[in-house]
Amino acid sequence: MENRTVDTRERILDAAERLFMAHGYEGTSMRQITGEAGVNLAAVNYHFGSKESLMQEVFRRRLDWLNEERMRVLDTLEAEAGGEPVKPSAIVDAFFGTLLRMAGDENRGGMTFLRLLGRTLTEPSEFIRAFLAHEYKTVMDRYKEALFKALPEVPKAEIVWRFHFMLGATSYAIAGTDALRLVTDWQIEDEDSTDRLDRLVPRLMSFLLGGLRAQLPQF
Amino acid sequence: MENRTVDTRERILDAAERLFMAHGYEGTSMRQITGEAGVNLAAVNYHFGSKESLMQEVFRRRLDWLNEERMRVLDTLEAEAGGEPVKPSAIVDAFFGTLLRMAGDENRGGMTFLRLLGRTLTEPSEFIRAFLAHEYKTVMDRYKEALFKALPEVPKAEIVWRFHFMLGATSYAIAGTDALRLVTDWQIEDEDSTDRLDRLVPRLMSFLLGGLRAQLPQF
DNA sequence: TTATGATTCATACGTTCGTTTTAATCATAA
DNA sequence: TTATGATTAAAACGAACGTATGAATCATAA
């Protein structure tokens, strides 16, 4: 009773992840999912109960690892710092770099999951927003505190906003990678798609840190 | 034959704009739209032909003005500069500031349209992506060139990427304003919602400029 | 006032949606 | 080998979807 279940569940999750990424939650039907997964239509309701629960499981499968990893990395950084503030660049890398490096790990969803996450953050159905709120809260609070400590001269409200902006830039950098290329018809010469991710990380990190440490606005 | 048509069309466009923003394109039905607009179900197909055409008209109604305004402002800046490069901060403000200031103008869609635009850029159905590509291309190219000229020491590819990141931060700052508050349970104290937009603009501008002018990444 | 074209209305069409049901098939323990 | 529970399979459910139709109603010009 083991192998069949695991296979079917995973095949459904993989197909759902890809299709939700490509067409969104509302734009993807159960028949598309089960068709692509090569399983019976009723299998989703049998294994997950409903389409909503399936969506949640798609996220949980990836986010559980991501959030644990983010916690673990920050634990290490703070232990190494021994009470002193952790460098902002290290905090930013621990949060966003960890996320981006998932894109290179197909076992953890790779680029597909990251693009799904990116687009979901701006199209939150009520039920998935509530779910993400619960999944994210603890980690967010930890990183927020770390940034407060690392940047004592920057008002806390400003740091919160800038964290917000960093999340946006990152989401979009991933979710919109293909979309924007079409929109703007920009040519990023001299790079094939394997290069692109390796170079995206330092590029985005420079941008994020520049924004985080920018001159404070005068109202 | 004038007043009824205009009223009905506008009522439909207003309702569609709000509902597409709140629930997405696929998540909004014709019956919701016509119900909220207080018009007959068949009115959408009569006036716009189809749901897709309605979506396009929702965007066109706002983007036509926005793109003209962006062109006009950049024309003025370049005329004032008289052949010299325009300051990066002025270019960024012309592009993103013009967008953000739409949020305060209810006659141009206000915050509702901006949030719709933000979420649509990361959930591009094929048909709307092609539409946005056409609407945006000319303006994008103009601004891209202006930034190349303003930042001759920064590689063009880097500027393109950073434009990309700036778009993301901005989209998200608007589209996710309410969403992220719930996700993170952050408290932005001492600000009511009327203040928020006035303060968002300089905050975001500081961040964007910091990112645009950040130290170049070393690969 | 009447004729005409534009618009609104009620209603129905055919599809597709998520879900449920009931029976068949499978893997495993006794 | 047989009994049992887990899984898969085929089929159908009612509801909601976008769209189309034809009659009713409206505003306007002759």
Side-chain angles (χ1 to χ4, degrees):
Chain A
M1 75 172 173
E2 193 76 343
N3 265 344
R4 280 203 305 170
T5 301
V6 171
D7 276 2
T8 300
R9 277 182 57 97
E10 294 254 315
R11 291 170 64 85
I12 290 171
L13 288 170
D14 289 343
E17 185 173 72
R18 208 192 64 74
L19 288 165
F20 286 150
M21 176 275 287
H23 308 116
Y25 176 76
E26 309 275 3
T28 302
S29 74
M30 306 283 263
R31 284 164 180 84
Q32 285 179 270
I33 295 169
T34 53
E36 175 148 327
V39 303
N40 189 271
L41 169 60
V44 171
N45 288 284
Y46 176 76
H47 285 284
F48 300 96
S50 68
K51 189 184 177 186
E52 286 199 1
S53 299
L54 169 62
M55 179 68 153
Q56 290 186 17
E57 194 55 34
V58 166
F59 277 97
R60 193 193 315 279
R61 177 170 71 145
R62 308 300 188 191
L63 286 183
D64 281 356
W65 176 87
L66 174 63
N67 284 335
E68 284 168 22
E69 181 70 6
R70 278 170 165 167
M71 285 298 214
R72 199 186 61 70
V73 174
L74 188 51
D75 284 342
T76 304
L77 288 174
E78 290 184 338
E80 286 172 1
E84 290 300 300
V86 180
K87 277 173 35 184
S89 62
I91 299 172
V92 169
D93 184 76
F95 192 90
F96 295 100
T98 300
L99 174 73
L100 289 168
R101 284 184 285 274
M102 277 183 84
D105 186 348
E106 287 305 321
N107 290 336
R108 306 228 134 79
M111 193 61 110
T112 302
F113 173 72
L114 257 62
R115 293 183 60 191
L116 171 60
L117 181 60
R119 72 175 286 169
T120 304
L121 288 179
T122 54
E123 54 164 336
S125 305
E126 200 51 55
F127 83 93
I128 198 67
R129 174 157 61 189
F131 171 73
L132 288 179
H134 175 263
E135 287 274 313
Y136 256 110
K137 174 151 183 26
T138 308
V139 178
M140 285 290 195
D141 286 347
R142 270 291 300 281
Y143 273 82
K144 191 180 62 174
E145 288 300 330
L147 282 175
F148 289 165
K149 204 170 156 188
L151 297 163
E153 75 284 5
V154 181
K156 290 186 178 184
E158 217 62 44
I159 292 178
V160 171
W161 277 106
R162 287 176 177 191
F163 203 153
H164 199 154
F165 299 150
M166 289 192 287
L167 264 170
T170 305
S171 287
Y172 203 78
I174 300 157
T177 294
D178 292 349
L180 200 75
R181 173 138 352 193
L182 287 174
V183 168
T184 63
D185 198 30
W186 282 336
Q187 320 274 11
I188 316 266
E189 329 78 8
D190 73 35
E191 295 185 29
D192 59 34
S193 67
T194 54
D195 265 354
R196 206 172 303 141
L197 182 66
D198 293 336
R199 291 169 166 257
L200 172 64
V201 179
R203 278 182 163 137
L204 181 57
M205 288 300 157
S206 293
F207 180 86
L208 297 182
L209 277 172
L212 179 60
R213 294 188 293 215
Q215 214 183 353
L216 291 177
Q218 43 254 16
F219 298 107
Chain B
M1 74 173 178
E2 192 76 342
N3 265 341
R4 282 202 305 170
T5 300
V6 171
D7 277 0
T8 300
R9 277 182 59 98
E10 293 253 315
R11 291 170 65 85
I12 290 171
L13 287 170
D14 289 343
E17 184 172 73
R18 209 192 64 74
L19 289 166
F20 286 151
M21 177 272 288
H23 308 117
Y25 176 76
E26 310 273 2
T28 302
S29 73
M30 305 283 264
R31 286 164 178 83
Q32 286 178 271
I33 295 168
T34 52
E36 175 147 328
V39 303
N40 189 270
L41 169 61
V44 171
N45 287 286
Y46 176 76
H47 285 284
F48 300 96
S50 68
K51 190 184 176 185
E52 286 200 2
S53 299
L54 169 60
M55 179 68 152
Q56 291 186 19
E57 194 54 34
V58 166
F59 277 97
R60 192 192 314 278
R61 178 171 69 146
R62 308 300 188 190
L63 286 182
D64 280 356
W65 178 86
L66 174 64
N67 283 335
E68 283 167 21
E69 181 71 6
R70 278 171 164 166
M71 286 299 214
R72 198 187 61 71
V73 173
L74 188 52
D75 284 343
T76 303
L77 288 173
E78 291 184 338
E80 286 171 1
E84 290 301 299
V86 180
K87 278 173 34 184
S89 60
I91 298 173
V92 169
D93 184 76
F95 192 88
F96 295 100
T98 299
L99 175 73
L100 289 167
R101 282 184 285 273
M102 277 183 84
D105 186 348
E106 287 306 322
N107 289 338
R108 306 227 133 80
M111 193 62 109
T112 302
F113 173 72
L114 257 63
R115 295 182 59 190
L116 171 61
L117 181 60
R119 73 175 287 169
T120 303
L121 289 179
T122 55
E123 56 163 336
S125 306
E126 201 52 53
F127 83 93
I128 197 70
R129 173 156 61 187
F131 171 73
L132 288 178
H134 175 263
E135 287 274 312
Y136 257 111
K137 175 152 182 24
T138 307
V139 178
M140 286 291 196
D141 286 346
R142 270 290 300 281
Y143 273 81
K144 191 179 63 174
E145 289 300 330
L147 283 175
F148 290 166
K149 203 170 160 190
L151 297 163
E153 76 283 6
V154 182
K156 291 186 178 183
E158 216 63 43
I159 291 178
V160 170
W161 277 106
R162 289 178 176 190
F163 204 156
H164 200 153
F165 300 151
M166 290 191 287
L167 264 170
T170 304
S171 286
Y172 202 77
I174 299 158
T177 293
D178 293 348
L180 200 75
R181 172 137 352 189
L182 288 174
V183 168
T184 62
D185 200 29
W186 282 336
Q187 319 274 10
I188 317 262
E189 329 78 7
D190 74 33
E191 296 187 28
D192 59 35
S193 67
T194 53
D195 266 355
R196 206 173 301 141
L197 181 67
D198 294 336
R199 289 167 167 261
L200 172 64
V201 178
R203 276 182 165 137
L204 182 58
M205 288 300 157
S206 293
F207 180 87
L208 296 182
L209 276 171
L212 179 61
R213 295 189 292 214
Q215 213 183 353
L216 291 177
Q218 44 253 17
F219 298 106

